[in-house]
Amino acid sequence: RLEKLRARANAKREAAEQAAANELERAKMATLIEHAKVQLEWMEVEEEAKLVERELRVNSENVRKVTLYCQMKGQEEMRAKALSRKLRGTADKDLKAVEDAMEFFEKCSAELDRCKRVKYRVDIDTEFTDTSAICGFLQRYKSPVLFRKLRHLYFWTLAGIVANRAELIATERRLMRINEELVNNEVETNIKTKDLAQLWKEQKRSDLMRMRRSELGTKMFSKWQNTILTKVFEGWVRFWMWHLGMRNAFNLKYTLIKQELDLKRMHPETRDAKERKQNTMATGDDNRDANSKKTLLQQHKSKPIQCRLCGVFYLEGHNTDRSCRYHPGEYKTACPSWCAGLSTNCMSHRTRRWTCCDVREKGQFGNSGCQSRFHMPPEKDPDYKAAVDQKDEFFINEFTKLGQEGEEVQKANWALEAKKIKIQQLDDIKDHVEEERVVVRRFKDPLDLDEKILVNYEVDPFTGEARLKDPADQVAV
């Protein structure tokens, strides 16, 4: 029983020790986190102190310049007095700013001393560190020794990565050379294949040229004669269908052109002609009025537009993809992109910068931007909206009018009327030809006339009819 009590007491003691060790570990981690926060606050305060010192130097330089300027302009008494009063006010403001800056600097110095004391206390508390990152099991190290070991391990790993990268690059270059040789071999193979095909083609042509014509036709066209005839017949059918389509298209185009000519004949000055005459500039007349109205395109190109992204005015004719400069990132206090953050080097380079390109100059209207784009016009333009509404109303009225005229044309069926007229004309031609053929059939049998009689007749060169010559030209029979 005593052994059980001892074992139980030992178990409780070990549990208590484990709990105390865990609590100590958590306290150490909290202390490290607090230390990092305090160090970051200290760096920010030091950065603000540097900014205040920079402003102090700038203000001191401004005061010196104002003093020299007053000494140089001492001859102009009245104007110098007015200017001195103005500069005196500026100097008072600057002195007040300097006093405020000094007061703030004293506060920052006191805060810096406090942060140093806190840092010293934290350094004492964190002199030793327990970690398993070195040998794989938990072991206590001095913080500087642990830093040197971790740094050696880091640079040893980095050297291995650099060596692997160099070997990889060498392998890639070797593969590129091999690939280049393969491409050259492929190009040479293609050239030789083409030359071989050309030689084989010439040899085959030479063999075919030595054949007889009948044997050549049997060899080349024995399997393709029916196919060629079928394709030729199909082509003729397609041509005939195309001819019918072209005739129908011609009839439709003839109808539309006739309708347009009729409309122009009825209305010689249409709305389009008036608008073209009023708004065009390309008249070809050197003596035209200099105050003539510009076209909509010329007005659009010469109108200054304010970009809704950067606020700069521009012309549409000068707008390119490199006109509008901008930063895709944010302008804030941050480390450069190559910094991992929360290191001792952050105090030397942590300042206000663009997160996209690490440029520290803020710029105006994006003139220091790292990327460019087109200027963007305003989403709504009253002038263009009014012009578009006017054109839309005009086109709606014109389309409605054309639709009504088209319905009238469909109801009148002009194509059918023209076809009826053409059919009537063909019938008239047919009747006339039939009448002529009846006259010809009367003289179907040949006439046996004496040559002496035919000499007294002649053929009219204009009508083609036979007639007797003049009595003076006739020959006595």
Side-chain angles (χ1 to χ4, degrees):
R1 185 174 180 182
L2 291 174
E3 292 178 356
K4 290 182 179 180
L5 291 174
R6 288 172 184 166
R8 190 178 300 171
N10 292 331
K12 289 182 179 180
R13 181 174 56 78
E14 292 176 357
E17 290 178 356
Q18 184 67 28
N22 294 334
E23 185 66 26
L24 180 60
E25 186 67 23
R26 286 194 296 272
K28 287 183 178 181
M29 293 300 295
T31 304
L32 290 176
I33 293 172
E34 186 66 24
H35 170 68
K37 291 182 179 179
V38 170
Q39 187 176 5
L40 183 60
E41 291 177 358
W42 174 68
M43 286 192 298
E44 292 180 353
V45 170
E46 187 178 5
E47 182 183 359
E48 291 178 357
K50 289 181 180 179
L51 292 175
V52 171
E53 290 178 358
R54 189 183 304 168
E55 291 180 358
L56 178 60
R57 289 194 299 272
V58 172
N59 292 332
S60 301
E61 185 66 21
N62 290 335
V63 171
R64 188 181 64 81
K65 290 181 179 179
V66 166
T67 305
L68 292 175
Y69 184 78
C70 292
Q71 293 177 358
M72 292 173 61
K73 296 296 181 178
Q75 296 178 359
E76 301 176 358
E77 183 177 358
M78 298 301 296
R79 194 166 64 185
K81 287 182 179 181
L83 185 59
S84 64
R85 286 194 295 269
K86 181 178 178 181
L87 294 177
R88 184 60 184 172
T90 305
D92 292 338
K93 291 181 182 179
D94 293 339
L95 289 174
K96 182 65 171 57
V98 170
E99 292 175 358
D100 296 339
M102 291 298 296
E103 184 179 357
F104 184 72
F105 177 74
E106 291 176 357
K107 292 181 181 180
C108 292
S109 299
E111 184 67 21
L112 180 61
D113 295 337
R114 188 187 66 80
C115 292
K116 287 182 179 179
R117 289 193 298 271
V118 173
K119 182 179 182 298
Y120 178 73
R121 186 170 60 252
V122 172
D123 290 339
I124 292 174
D125 295 337
T126 58
E127 183 178 2
F128 296 95
T129 304
D130 294 339
T131 181
S132 60
I134 303 299
C135 54
F137 56 88
L138 196 64
Q139 189 174 359
R140 175 166 292 184
Y141 294 93
K142 285 188 177 182
S143 297
V145 176
L146 180 61
F147 173 76
R148 288 194 298 271
K149 289 181 176 292
L150 291 176
R151 184 175 180 181
H152 176 267
L153 182 61
Y154 168 73
F155 281 105
W156 181 80
T157 306
L158 187 62
I161 293 173
V162 171
N164 293 333
R165 181 62 179 171
E167 186 175 357
L168 179 61
I169 292 173
T171 306
E172 288 180 353
R173 291 179 179 176
R174 192 178 301 112
L175 289 176
M176 289 174 63
R177 287 196 297 270
I178 294 173
N179 188 20
E180 185 177 358
E181 292 178 359
L182 289 175
V183 170
N184 294 331
N185 292 334
E186 184 178 0
V187 171
E188 187 175 359
T189 303
N190 293 331
I191 294 173
K192 290 183 178 180
T193 303
K194 290 181 180 179
D195 295 340
L196 182 60
Q198 184 66 25
L199 291 174
W200 174 249
K201 184 177 179 181
E202 293 177 358
Q203 180 65 28
K204 189 174 180 181
R205 183 177 180 276
S206 177
D207 294 340
L208 293 176
M209 290 295 292
R210 286 195 293 269
M211 286 185 180
R212 293 181 179 273
R213 185 179 297 178
S214 58
E215 186 65 23
L216 186 63
T218 303
K219 183 176 180 61
M220 297 181 63
F221 304 110
S222 60
K223 297 181 180 180
W224 295 97
Q225 288 180 352
N226 295 331
T227 305
I228 291 173
L229 290 175
T230 303
K231 289 184 178 180
V232 170
F233 181 74
E234 291 177 355
W236 182 84
V237 172
R238 286 196 298 271
F239 171 77
W240 175 251
M241 298 300 294
W242 170 83
H243 181 67
L244 292 178
M246 292 297 292
R247 289 185 62 182
N248 295 332
F250 173 77
N251 293 332
L252 179 59
K253 188 174 181 180
Y254 170 78
T255 304
L256 294 176
I257 293 174
K258 186 176 182 300
Q259 178 188 2
E260 184 178 358
L261 293 175
D262 293 339
L263 291 175
K264 287 184 178 180
R265 194 180 300 111
M266 294 172 63
H267 305 284
E269 293 183 358
T270 59
R271 182 184 180 88
D272 294 337
K274 292 181 180 179
E275 185 175 358
R276 189 182 304 109
K277 185 176 180 181
Q278 292 176 359
N279 295 334
T280 186
M281 287 289 289
T283 58
D285 188 7
D286 297 336
N287 298 323
R288 63 177 182 271
D289 188 7
N291 298 324
S292 57
K293 188 176 179 181
K294 294 182 179 181
T295 62
L296 293 177
L297 179 60
Q298 292 172 344
Q299 294 176 7
H300 176 70
K301 288 183 177 180
S302 60
K303 179 181 178 182
I305 305 172
Q306 186 176 14
C307 179
R308 69 168 181 260
L309 299 176
C310 63
V312 176
F313 285 89
Y314 68 95
L315 298 178
E316 190 64 33
H318 300 165
N319 190 12
T320 63
D321 59 346
R322 303 183 63 85
S323 299
C324 187
R325 307 290 297 181
Y326 73 102
H327 287 283
E330 298 180 1
Y331 187 72
K332 62 180 182 179
T333 302
C335 294
S337 58
W338 49 264
C339 179
L342 295 179
S343 64
T344 56
N345 296 326
C346 292
M347 64 174 62
S348 63
H349 58 243
R350 185 175 178 84
T351 183
R352 295 181 65 83
R353 67 179 73 242
W354 289 100
T355 57
C356 55
C357 58
D358 296 338
V359 174
R360 286 183 283 185
E361 183 182 0
K362 186 176 182 180
Q364 186 178 8
F365 296 115
N367 57 2
S368 64
C370 60
Q371 295 187 15
S372 60
R373 58 190 171 187
F374 284 97
H375 286 302
M376 296 298 292
E379 295 182 355
K380 294 183 180 180
D381 194 331
D383 298 336
Y384 290 154
K385 187 175 183 303
V388 170
D389 293 340
Q390 182 180 1
K391 286 296 181 182
D392 290 341
E393 182 180 359
F394 169 72
F395 285 130
I396 290 172
N397 296 333
E398 289 295 325
F399 289 155
T400 305
K401 183 178 177 181
L402 290 176
Q404 294 176 357
E405 293 177 356
E407 291 179 355
E408 293 178 0
V409 170
Q410 290 180 357
K411 290 179 180 179
N413 203 352
W414 289 0
L416 181 60
E417 295 296 331
K419 186 176 182 181
K420 289 181 180 180
I421 293 173
K422 292 297 181 182
I423 291 173
Q424 184 65 33
Q425 292 176 355
L426 291 175
D427 292 338
D428 295 341
I429 293 172
K430 181 180 178 183
D431 296 338
H432 179 70
V433 172
E434 188 64 30
E435 291 177 0
E436 294 293 336
R437 287 176 178 175
V438 169
V439 175
V440 172
R441 279 196 293 269
R442 293 178 184 175
F443 303 97
K444 184 175 182 182
D445 298 332
L447 297 177
D448 296 333
L449 297 177
D450 193 357
E451 292 292 336
K452 296 179 180 180
I453 298 174
L454 292 176
V455 171
N456 295 326
Y457 287 89
E458 65 179 357
V459 179
D460 192 350
F462 298 100
T463 61
E465 298 178 353
R467 64 183 180 182
L468 285 172
K469 295 182 179 180
D470 294 335
D473 298 332
Q474 291 183 7
V475 178
V477 179

